[in-house]
């Protein structure tokens, strides 16, 4: 992962007839359950897609970003709001060049058919050639598209604490 660091999940216990699994990713508990005998690790899946997207952004990987995001995904930055194509252009053109990303925590939650990942991070990048660092809570909203989770909103909120 280079400058991006995550921790692996540790799986837990079984209880009765249904399988109850749990684990911790960056100190956050996630739950798993079974549907028709198939394990559904929703929180883990959302965190994995989030990691894939962050890695794709770090490496200006257009294919990777498109694989994780809905074509009409919205991005909200401090100074601009844009769609996926423009976001990709910022990274592939070098306008946004990540230099260091420190993840403090990530939390995934499910609200019906909508998944939300909250990522607390320090994000450093060259922005039009100038180094900048901000402490952000990034809100990542996912919906299911053809049985795959797709990013639909990626919003940076600057934190002052």
């Amino acid at each position: 992962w280079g400058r991006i660091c995550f921790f692996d999940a540790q799986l837990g216990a079984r209880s009765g007839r249904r399988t109850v699994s749990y684990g911790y990713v960056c100190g956050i508990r996630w739950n798993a359950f079974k549907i028709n005998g198939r394990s559904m690790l929703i929180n883990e899946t959302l965190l994995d897609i989030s990691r894939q997207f962050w890695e794709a952004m770090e490496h200006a990987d257009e294919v990777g970003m498109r694989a994780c995001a809905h074509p009409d995904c919205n991005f909200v930055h401090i100074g601009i709001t844009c769609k996926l194509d423009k976001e990709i252009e910022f990274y592939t053109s070098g306008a946004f060049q990540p230099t260091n990303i420190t993840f403090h925590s990530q939390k995934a939650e499910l609200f019906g058919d909508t998944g939300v990942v909250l990522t607390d991070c320090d994000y450093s990048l060259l922005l039009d050639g100038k180094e900048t660092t901000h402490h952000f809570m990034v809100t990542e909203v996912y919906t299911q598209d053809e049985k795959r989770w797709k990013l639909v909103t990626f919003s940076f909120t600057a934190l002052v604490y």
Side-chain angles (χ1 to χ4, degrees), residues 17-146:
R17 281 187 254 162
R18 65 184 179 143
T19 302
V20 180
S21 299
Y22 61 90
Y24 293 87
V25 177
C26 295
I28 305 300
R29 182 180 169 133
W30 56 264
N31 297 308
F33 57 92
K34 285 194 173 188
I35 297 176
N36 298 326
R38 191 171 145 210
S39 224
M40 303 300 291
L41 305 174
I42 302 299
N43 300 56
E44 180 183 15
T45 300
L46 290 171
L47 290 171
D48 186 52
I49 295 167
S50 172
R51 291 175 194 142
Q52 291 173 33
F53 190 79
W54 279 97
E55 184 173 346
M57 279 193 334
E58 179 188 26
H59 298 291
D61 175 5
E62 178 177 353
V63 173
M65 291 173 77
R66 289 191 189 282
C68 297
H70 187 280
D72 292 322
C73 184
N74 293 294
F75 293 85
V76 181
H77 294 274
I78 291 174
I80 190 168
T81 300
C82 63
K83 294 289 189 179
L84 179 62
D85 287 339
K86 188 66 175 175
E87 184 77 3
I88 289 171
E89 181 184 322
F90 285 135
Y91 285 92
T92 58
S93 72
F96 292 178
Q97 297 176 34
T99 57
N100 189 46
I101 305 170
T102 302
F103 291 91
H104 301 292
S105 67
Q106 275 197 307
K107 177 181 180 181
E109 296 182 279
L110 193 62
F111 301 91
D113 62 352
T114 302
V116 176
V117 175
L118 296 176
T119 302
D120 182 358
C121 66
D122 292 329
Y123 186 51
S124 301
L125 74 155
L126 292 176
L127 185 60
D128 290 325
K130 296 180 183 174
E131 180 80 30
T132 182
T133 300
H134 293 281
H135 183 191
F136 287 114
M137 181 64 72
V138 180
T139 304
E140 305 169 41
V141 180
Y142 295 85
T143 60
Q144 284 195 334
D145 181 17
E146 299 175 16

Side-chain angles (χ1 to χ4, degrees), residues 143-158:
T143 60
Q144 284 195 334
D145 181 17
E146 299 175 16
K147 299 188 180 186
R148 270 198 77 190
W149 289 99
K150 291 287 191 169
L151 180 66
V152 294
T153 300
F154 196 85
S155 180
F156 289 88
T157 301

